[in-house]
Amino acid sequence: MNSKKFSRRDTLVLGLKSSLALAMGSIGLSAKAEEKKLLIGYWPIAAGLPFYAAVDRGLFKQAGVNVEAVKFASPNQVVEAMIAGRIDGCANGVAITALALADAQSPGSIKFTCMNYANEKYILDQVIVPINSSIKGISELAGKKVACGPGINNVTLAKAVLAGAGAINAQVIELPIAQILPALVAGQIDGAYVLEPTAVIGKQQKISRSIGAGVVSKYVLGDNLPWIGGAAALTSKTLKEKADLINGFIKGYAGGVEYVRKEGMAANQYLKGYTAIDGDLAKEVPISGYIQYNEVKAADVKALQRLFDVFTERKVFEKPISALTLIYKQS
């Protein structure tokens, strides 16, 4: 096996050395009730909003299914836990390329039930610079230091955005998300490719300003295609072994999506407790767009396939991955 390729796959999927402590028990529940529970992992970012709302509004319980939310420090850890069979699936916000790569190791093992997307209307991704920077456009970051969040998914997209915008020879630096704004203040970096709420926090604290929004859609995918960057998903093992819970889960999750669509940013109240977003900050965090499995159109498949092809072109994916085969189909 090519060691370089293995290293990339290991970064996204096979890092099972990390400790994944999951609370499997719950006081007062019988053993039979435990068997009927769905453990759903989430990364604490805004894109998981439909899931948070569905849990807190009791939509899963109304649909007759017991769902437990399990928090992880990174999307890769969520995917690792799914691969290991420690959780049944994930909420929106988990990197769709990480999920796709995991499925490539065992085709048919993961199915997307709801996807989240961003574009110039539904803003998730931005390029920011220090508030007093003289830089006005992304191309001016050529040859400069640009930070992004950790992981090959963020690095790949940051490099693709910068290249697409004409920022030649920009140096991409991985940083923990919490360190990006302090690094801007300290002058250690000249700009950053970030996901919300980092840009909103930077604006509120008068640390940074945006020089481009919806940048993956604009500079990487083109043709006005949305960036479908994350997904809620279930494992094939769960679909088979807990088949009697699936319809209830799908119904409850759909209720969360419809609530977010109807209420818009007012739904951000449910970010509290699941993310670090609260108070005045929650009033400004943009809402992602959502596509449920039964709403997928040809244009959506095209957009997702284009994203996957970018990762193949950049040698992150060992071979082409078909987007259509990963989308859940109700039997």
Side-chain angles (χ1 to χ4, degrees), residues 58 88 90 100 103 109 114 127 140 199 208 218 227-228 245 247 252 255 318 324 326 331:
D88 297 297
C90 66
D103 183 82
S109 60
C114 182
V127 174
E140 296 175 53
S208 64
K218 184 175 182 179
W227 171 39
I228 302 175
L245 303 183
N247 286 342
E318 180 179 312
L324 186 60
L326 286 160
S331 57

mmCIF file of all heavy atoms in Angstrom, residues 58 88 90 100 103 109 114 127 140 199 208 218 227-228 245 247 252 255 318 324 326 331:
data_model
loop_
_atom_site.group_PDB
_atom_site.id
_atom_site.type_symbol
_atom_site.label_atom_id
_atom_site.label_comp_id
_atom_site.label_asym_id
_atom_site.label_seq_id
_atom_site.Cartn_x
_atom_site.Cartn_y
_atom_site.Cartn_z
ATOM 1 N N GLY A 58 -38.145 17.787 21.569
ATOM 2 C CA GLY A 58 -38.789 16.492 21.765
ATOM 3 C C GLY A 58 -39.347 15.873 20.490
ATOM 4 O O GLY A 58 -40.246 15.021 20.555
ATOM 5 N N ASP A 88 -24.352 5.277 16.240
ATOM 6 C CA ASP A 88 -25.196 4.838 15.123
ATOM 7 C C ASP A 88 -25.155 5.768 13.923
ATOM 8 O O ASP A 88 -25.487 5.361 12.806
ATOM 9 C CB ASP A 88 -26.645 4.711 15.601
ATOM 10 C CG ASP A 88 -26.795 3.655 16.679
ATOM 11 O OD1 ASP A 88 -26.531 2.490 16.388
ATOM 12 O OD2 ASP A 88 -27.159 4.018 17.816
ATOM 13 N N CYS A 90 -24.516 10.315 12.705
ATOM 14 C CA CYS A 90 -24.054 11.650 13.047
ATOM 15 C C CYS A 90 -25.068 12.702 12.626
ATOM 16 O O CYS A 90 -25.940 12.454 11.790
ATOM 17 C CB CYS A 90 -22.710 11.939 12.380
ATOM 18 S SG CYS A 90 -22.779 12.031 10.581
ATOM 19 N N ALA A 100 -17.442 10.312 3.319
ATOM 20 C CA ALA A 100 -17.300 9.630 2.029
ATOM 21 C C ALA A 100 -16.050 8.757 2.004
ATOM 22 O O ALA A 100 -16.077 7.630 1.491
ATOM 23 C CB ALA A 100 -17.242 10.655 0.901
ATOM 24 N N ASP A 103 -16.615 5.633 3.981
ATOM 25 C CA ASP A 103 -17.425 4.681 3.221
ATOM 26 C C ASP A 103 -16.592 3.992 2.139
ATOM 27 O O ASP A 103 -16.815 2.825 1.824
ATOM 28 C CB ASP A 103 -18.619 5.388 2.585
ATOM 29 C CG ASP A 103 -19.526 4.433 1.841
ATOM 30 O OD1 ASP A 103 -20.374 3.783 2.497
ATOM 31 O OD2 ASP A 103 -19.385 4.305 0.601
ATOM 32 N N SER A 109 -21.311 1.386 3.680
ATOM 33 C CA SER A 109 -21.382 1.378 5.145
ATOM 34 C C SER A 109 -21.984 2.653 5.734
ATOM 35 O O SER A 109 -22.368 2.669 6.900
ATOM 36 C CB SER A 109 -19.986 1.164 5.739
ATOM 37 O OG SER A 109 -19.107 2.196 5.346
ATOM 38 N N CYS A 114 -29.382 13.652 5.526
ATOM 39 C CA CYS A 114 -29.647 15.082 5.376
ATOM 40 C C CYS A 114 -28.307 15.777 5.165
ATOM 41 O O CYS A 114 -27.341 15.477 5.874
ATOM 42 C CB CYS A 114 -30.335 15.652 6.613
ATOM 43 S SG CYS A 114 -30.750 17.418 6.498
ATOM 44 N N VAL A 127 -13.369 34.057 4.235
ATOM 45 C CA VAL A 127 -11.952 34.385 4.405
ATOM 46 C C VAL A 127 -11.904 35.715 5.128
ATOM 47 O O VAL A 127 -12.560 36.683 4.719
ATOM 48 C CB VAL A 127 -11.216 34.475 3.056
ATOM 49 C CG1 VAL A 127 -9.781 34.974 3.272
ATOM 50 C CG2 VAL A 127 -11.186 33.107 2.374
ATOM 51 N N GLU A 140 -4.916 39.146 -2.768
ATOM 52 C CA GLU A 140 -3.829 39.873 -2.112
ATOM 53 C C GLU A 140 -3.148 39.062 -1.010
ATOM 54 O O GLU A 140 -2.143 39.497 -0.431
ATOM 55 C CB GLU A 140 -4.348 41.190 -1.535
ATOM 56 C CG GLU A 140 -4.856 42.167 -2.587
ATOM 57 C CD GLU A 140 -5.462 43.410 -1.965
ATOM 58 O OE1 GLU A 140 -4.789 44.049 -1.131
ATOM 59 O OE2 GLU A 140 -6.620 43.733 -2.282
ATOM 60 N N ALA A 199 -16.060 33.944 12.033
ATOM 61 C CA ALA A 199 -16.109 35.271 11.408
ATOM 62 C C ALA A 199 -17.023 36.214 12.185
ATOM 63 O O ALA A 199 -16.719 37.404 12.340
ATOM 64 C CB ALA A 199 -16.574 35.157 9.963
ATOM 65 N N SER A 208 -11.534 41.126 13.361
ATOM 66 C CA SER A 208 -11.355 40.795 11.950
ATOM 67 C C SER A 208 -12.510 41.316 11.105
ATOM 68 O O SER A 208 -13.548 41.724 11.616
ATOM 69 C CB SER A 208 -11.236 39.281 11.794
ATOM 70 O OG SER A 208 -12.453 38.649 12.200
ATOM 71 N N LYS A 218 -17.858 29.737 -4.683
ATOM 72 C CA LYS A 218 -17.412 30.695 -5.696
ATOM 73 C C LYS A 218 -16.097 30.321 -6.348
ATOM 74 O O LYS A 218 -15.962 30.375 -7.581
ATOM 75 C CB LYS A 218 -17.305 32.083 -5.070
ATOM 76 C CG LYS A 218 -16.943 33.180 -6.054
ATOM 77 C CD LYS A 218 -16.977 34.540 -5.368
ATOM 78 C CE LYS A 218 -16.659 35.661 -6.364
ATOM 79 N NZ LYS A 218 -16.711 37.002 -5.711
ATOM 80 N N TRP A 227 -21.860 24.636 -1.922
ATOM 81 C CA TRP A 227 -20.900 23.757 -1.253
ATOM 82 C C TRP A 227 -21.658 22.905 -0.248
ATOM 83 O O TRP A 227 -22.094 23.378 0.785
ATOM 84 C CB TRP A 227 -19.821 24.571 -0.552
ATOM 85 C CG TRP A 227 -18.934 23.741 0.337
ATOM 86 C CD1 TRP A 227 -18.466 22.482 0.086
ATOM 87 C CD2 TRP A 227 -18.431 24.085 1.634
ATOM 88 N NE1 TRP A 227 -17.693 22.026 1.138
ATOM 89 C CE2 TRP A 227 -17.659 22.993 2.097
ATOM 90 C CE3 TRP A 227 -18.557 25.228 2.427
ATOM 91 C CZ2 TRP A 227 -17.021 23.017 3.332
ATOM 92 C CZ3 TRP A 227 -17.919 25.247 3.661
ATOM 93 C CH2 TRP A 227 -17.153 24.149 4.108
ATOM 94 N N ILE A 228 -21.820 21.639 -0.574
ATOM 95 C CA ILE A 228 -22.453 20.687 0.347
ATOM 96 C C ILE A 228 -21.335 20.114 1.208
ATOM 97 O O ILE A 228 -20.680 19.144 0.852
ATOM 98 C CB ILE A 228 -23.213 19.584 -0.419
ATOM 99 C CG1 ILE A 228 -24.273 20.223 -1.327
ATOM 100 C CG2 ILE A 228 -23.872 18.609 0.561
ATOM 101 C CD1 ILE A 228 -25.005 19.236 -2.214
ATOM 102 N N LEU A 245 -36.278 1.695 14.221
ATOM 103 C CA LEU A 245 -36.123 3.048 14.738
ATOM 104 C C LEU A 245 -35.890 4.080 13.635
ATOM 105 O O LEU A 245 -35.965 5.290 13.888
ATOM 106 C CB LEU A 245 -34.941 3.113 15.713
ATOM 107 C CG LEU A 245 -34.974 2.180 16.927
ATOM 108 C CD1 LEU A 245 -33.763 2.444 17.804
ATOM 109 C CD2 LEU A 245 -36.263 2.361 17.713
ATOM 110 N N ASN A 247 -37.435 5.044 10.721
ATOM 111 C CA ASN A 247 -38.501 5.952 10.290
ATOM 112 C C ASN A 247 -38.763 7.051 11.319
ATOM 113 O O ASN A 247 -38.998 8.206 10.967
ATOM 114 C CB ASN A 247 -39.786 5.172 10.001
ATOM 115 C CG ASN A 247 -39.716 4.392 8.709
ATOM 116 O OD1 ASN A 247 -38.879 4.655 7.852
ATOM 117 N ND2 ASN A 247 -40.592 3.406 8.569
ATOM 118 N N GLY A 252 -38.322 12.632 12.988
ATOM 119 C CA GLY A 252 -37.916 13.624 13.984
ATOM 120 C C GLY A 252 -36.907 14.607 13.420
ATOM 121 O O GLY A 252 -36.994 15.817 13.665
ATOM 122 N N GLY A 255 -38.474 17.079 11.160
ATOM 123 C CA GLY A 255 -39.155 18.107 11.935
ATOM 124 C C GLY A 255 -38.193 19.207 12.359
ATOM 125 O O GLY A 255 -38.547 20.389 12.368
ATOM 126 N N GLU A 318 -8.180 8.413 -2.876
ATOM 127 C CA GLU A 318 -7.322 7.529 -3.657
ATOM 128 C C GLU A 318 -7.902 7.270 -5.050
ATOM 129 O O GLU A 318 -7.173 7.160 -6.034
ATOM 130 C CB GLU A 318 -7.144 6.202 -2.915
ATOM 131 C CG GLU A 318 -6.261 5.201 -3.648
ATOM 132 C CD GLU A 318 -6.101 3.926 -2.860
ATOM 133 O OE1 GLU A 318 -5.801 4.010 -1.658
ATOM 134 O OE2 GLU A 318 -6.283 2.846 -3.452
ATOM 135 N N LEU A 324 -23.791 9.862 -5.636
ATOM 136 C CA LEU A 324 -25.165 9.350 -5.651
ATOM 137 C C LEU A 324 -25.337 8.110 -4.793
ATOM 138 O O LEU A 324 -26.360 7.940 -4.123
ATOM 139 C CB LEU A 324 -25.591 9.049 -7.086
ATOM 140 C CG LEU A 324 -27.061 8.645 -7.291
ATOM 141 C CD1 LEU A 324 -27.990 9.764 -6.825
ATOM 142 C CD2 LEU A 324 -27.317 8.323 -8.758
ATOM 143 N N LEU A 326 -24.048 7.354 -2.055
ATOM 144 C CA LEU A 326 -23.967 7.598 -0.612
ATOM 145 C C LEU A 326 -25.255 8.149 -0.011
ATOM 146 O O LEU A 326 -25.383 8.221 1.200
ATOM 147 C CB LEU A 326 -22.813 8.587 -0.329
ATOM 148 C CG LEU A 326 -21.410 7.988 -0.457
ATOM 149 C CD1 LEU A 326 -20.383 9.085 -0.642
ATOM 150 C CD2 LEU A 326 -21.076 7.147 0.763
ATOM 151 N N SER A 331 -36.421 2.332 1.917
ATOM 152 C CA SER A 331 -36.874 1.073 1.315
ATOM 153 C C SER A 331 -38.372 0.893 1.468
ATOM 154 O O SER A 331 -39.003 1.537 2.289
ATOM 155 C CB SER A 331 -36.150 -0.111 1.970
ATOM 156 O OG SER A 331 -36.355 -0.125 3.361
#
